[in-house]
Amino acid sequence: MKKMNVRKFFLMLADAIIVALTALVSNMLLSWYGVATKQNTIGIALQPIRVVMVIGMSVLFCFFFLYVLGAYNKAWRDIRAKDIAFCALAVFLGLGTAYLFANFMSKPPTVEFMALNTVLSVGAIVLFRIILRSTVLSLMRAGSEERNEELDRTLIVGAGQAARMILQEINNAHNDPNNPANVIFPVCLVDDDPSKYHTKVMGIDVVGQTKDIPLICRQYNIELVIFAIPSCSEEQRKRIMGYCSESGCRIKTVPYLSQLFEDDDSHQILSQVKDIKIEDLLGRPPITFNKKKIRDFIYGKVCMVTGGGGSIGSELVRQIAKYHPEQIIIVDIYENNAYDIQQELYIDYGDELNLVTLIASVRDYDKMDRIFDEYRPQVVFHAAAHKHVPLMEVSPTEAVKNNIFGTLNMVNLAEKYEVEKFVMISTDKAVNPTNVMGATKRCCEMIVQLKSQQGGKTEYVTTRFGNVLGSNGSVIPLFRRQIEAGRPVTVTHPDIIRYFMTIPEAVSLVLEAGAIAKGGEIFVLDMGDPVKITTLAENLIRMYGKVPYRDVEIKFTGLRPGEKLYEELLMDEEGLQKTDNKKIFIGNQLDIDADELNQELDELHEIVETNDNDATVRKLEAMVDTFHHNAN
């Protein structure tokens, strides 16, 4: 408001001086050239009192019409040709009215004076505004160029409502140093709508289509790309994200339309713009789950999470905590991870969350028996397992001890203490396994299904999903370390493909599966199309602003023992059943021969106690008829 008043005062003072000076100059010019006057009228320098009176009326009436026509309402940089024309009209009307009143004076001004003064006043007012606007814009550009050296030259993808909201927020951010928009310098936009090409959005040019993004980024020295099409389809998003990643620029993205947070201030969109994550390149929106069912499942329950410090286990604990359980029991053998999630939850919830963190191994039946006896969990999420494929190929006996017999301990204890629901975390590697880890997880699924067949008060369920982005042992952390260290990115095979999901998606699957389970099901998530690992590596390299194969080499190292080119999610004999969630399917329960499986487990236990790796693998092949070791 103060700036507005100062600006108005300056303009009004300038206008008054201009009107007064042009009247004096007109009078002087007429006197110098000896223009004849009528009846001693104004036009000769010998009548200063009448000159002052005319000047006073001219200034007064010019002020009036300039104000009425809005000459003082525009910022200097926003003055346009139309505004200047209105100023000229206002001065003309103001002087005309002043001369009309002057005619009632005993000696009115001459027509020559009136005409010359009007021409000079209108010209001077217009010229002043043109010079003022040019000067202000030049100063702004100079200051902007100096300031923009520290700002991000930005390309906005999309010229729709989201882009308008972003640009509006940028415009409103000049006086707010804490606004995230204050570091963005919008340079241009792109949009695939031909009608928007060569148009402007809030003064910013639409310079091309999305396929032109890499070229435009080079031409305009773009540093940041903001993807602002929240309503586009999955396939469009995947395609355009590919162009963005090829640019080598940093990328931020507006969430999908369904994820945008709406409040009373609909322009606050930049706070929701996030750095692009590698999962954004998967080309599908995050899968949604029924939170009400999950809340009903968790609320007021004592929940145990084995492997609670791992990437899946810790996210399980985070999400469970949101649904107000009676108590959460974290069980993990690795104290560092357990400590990390414990401290995180203490910071987030303080005393509001009843949290117990225990260091124990699921392989230790007696220890776990004491834990079950003391805390009496109602829901058990069994995430503890050895999952690293190459490591388990080297140490198959450890994989069996931890995965198979750890799971056997847990299901037996769940039955003994009448746990309401037991949810086991499995993997797509359990389907037609070619490695030890996958075979052990298939045995775990068999154990869980057998327990379900035998009845009892506990409902047993298995959740199976593919690779989890960002989890311990996944390719993304490895690729990041290699890129940041300046080393080649290693991919086992150029054609290897995998299904991917995010950690929150995986955990939400586990929770909803537990909520809707009746016992014995294997829940499988529809994760869309598989992704080539090579493509994932290339896109991640581009996200670092580098060019694949030029700045960062991709080396193909060959398939590792037990590794497949592709992975399946369901065995053929399991079939599929739909659930209320279109992205979740149920594999039919398989009939397990209890006597046969128990005998096989007893024999396997005797073998692993000898730590004979070869014999252990042979026994796994006998137990899991779909297990073909090292068959790629």
Side-chain angles (χ1 to χ4, degrees), residues 182-202:
N182 209 32
V183 297
I184 295 173
F185 174 49
V187 175
C188 54
L189 302 97
V190 295
D191 198 287
D192 285 333
D193 184 349
S195 66
K196 294 179 180 178
Y197 189 44
H198 289 315
T199 62
K200 292 179 181 287
V201 179
M202 298 187 67

Side-chain angles (χ1 to χ4, degrees), residues 436-447:
V436 169
M437 194 280 283
T440 61
K441 295 302 284 186
R442 181 57 189 151
C443 286
C444 294
E445 292 181 356
M446 295 162 62
I447 291 169

Side-chain angles (χ1 to χ4, degrees), residues 45-92:
L46 298 177
Q47 294 142 332
I49 295 176
R50 288 183 175 82
V51 172
V52 171
M53 292 175 63
V54 171
I55 289 174
M57 286 188 293
S58 298
V59 170
L60 177 64
F61 286 113
C62 284
F63 275 163
F64 174 76
F65 285 103
L66 284 167
Y67 182 83
V68 169
L69 294 179
Y72 302 121
N73 295 334
K74 285 288 186 75
W76 296 328
R77 67 175 181 269
D78 295 331
I79 296 174
R80 300 291 183 262
K82 181 178 70 172
D83 303 309
I84 294 175
F86 274 119
C87 288
L89 177 62
V91 174
F92 181 82

Side-chain angles (χ1 to χ4, degrees), residues 147-400:
R147 180 173 176 266
N148 288 341
E149 292 180 0
E150 301 176 358
L151 301 185
D152 293 325
R153 294 178 59 83
T154 300
L155 165 68
I156 298 177
V157 180
Q161 185 60 28
R164 288 182 179 275
M165 293 167 68
I166 289 172
L167 290 171
Q168 182 63 52
E169 193 167 345
I170 292 171
N171 287 341
N172 294 337
H174 294 299
N175 299 320
D176 182 4
N178 296 320
N179 193 311
N182 209 32
V183 297
I184 295 173
F185 174 49
V187 175
C188 54
L189 302 97
V190 295
D191 198 287
D192 285 333
D193 184 349
S195 66
K196 294 179 180 178
Y197 189 44
H198 289 315
T199 62
K200 292 179 181 287
V201 179
M202 298 187 67
I204 307 299
D205 292 321
V206 180
V207 298
Q209 299 178 309
T210 56
K211 63 182 177 62
D212 304 318
I213 288 174
L215 176 61
I216 289 170
C217 287
R218 290 193 296 271
Q219 289 178 336
Y220 289 85
N221 296 319
I222 299 299
E223 300 168 290
L224 173 66
V225 176
I226 296 181
F227 184 96
I229 316 178
S231 59
C232 70
S233 67
E234 299 173 17
E235 188 57 37
Q236 287 175 317
R237 193 179 187 92
K238 185 176 182 180
R239 174 179 59 82
I240 298 172
M241 280 296 185
Y243 295 139
C244 293
S245 66
E246 288 177 22
S247 71
C249 300
R250 291 185 295 110
I251 307 170
K252 291 181 180 288
T253 178
V254 174
Y256 281 91
L257 194 61
S258 60
Q259 295 177 281
L260 277 174
F261 177 75
E262 297 180 0
D263 56 17
D264 294 334
D265 190 354
S266 61
H267 291 294
Q268 296 301 315
I269 191 172
L270 271 174
S271 60
Q272 301 178 67
V273 173
K274 306 297 183 185
D275 290 331
I276 186 175
K277 302 174 184 176
I278 194 68
E279 53 261 36
D280 291 321
L281 299 172
L282 298 184
R284 62 171 174 81
I287 297 167
T288 57
F289 297 85
N290 192 322
K291 293 184 178 180
K292 184 180 184 305
K293 287 183 178 179
I294 297 173
R295 183 179 298 277
D296 293 341
F297 172 45
I298 297 297
Y299 185 84
K301 302 285 181 63
V302 177
C303 300
M304 174 186 288
V305 181
T306 68
S311 48
I312 296 296
S314 61
E315 180 64 20
L316 264 171
V317 172
R318 290 185 192 96
Q319 292 197 27
I320 290 170
K322 297 177 182 178
Y323 296 105
H324 305 288
E326 174 67 25
Q327 186 179 55
I328 298 179
I329 305 160
I330 296 175
V331 177
D332 203 298
I333 191 60
Y334 184 43
E335 73 276 15
N336 290 347
N337 282 349
Y339 176 80
D340 288 343
I341 186 62
Q342 177 197 55
Q343 295 306 306
E344 178 184 328
L345 294 176
Y346 281 161
I347 292 171
D348 290 343
Y349 294 94
D351 296 334
E352 295 179 8
L353 181 66
N354 185 354
L355 178 66
V356 177
T357 305
L358 303 172
I359 304 304
S361 171
V362 294
R363 293 160 62 164
D364 188 338
Y365 180 89
D366 292 334
K367 179 63 179 289
M368 294 305 303
D369 185 31
R370 293 183 181 182
I371 292 172
F372 270 78
D373 184 43
E374 180 175 357
Y375 294 100
R376 301 285 170 158
Q378 296 163 278
V379 180
V380 174
F381 297 94
H382 180 45
H386 288 327
K387 304 182 183 74
H388 292 256
V389 170
L391 293 180
M392 295 307 100
E393 289 299 297
V394 177
S395 304
T397 56
E398 295 305 305
V400 169

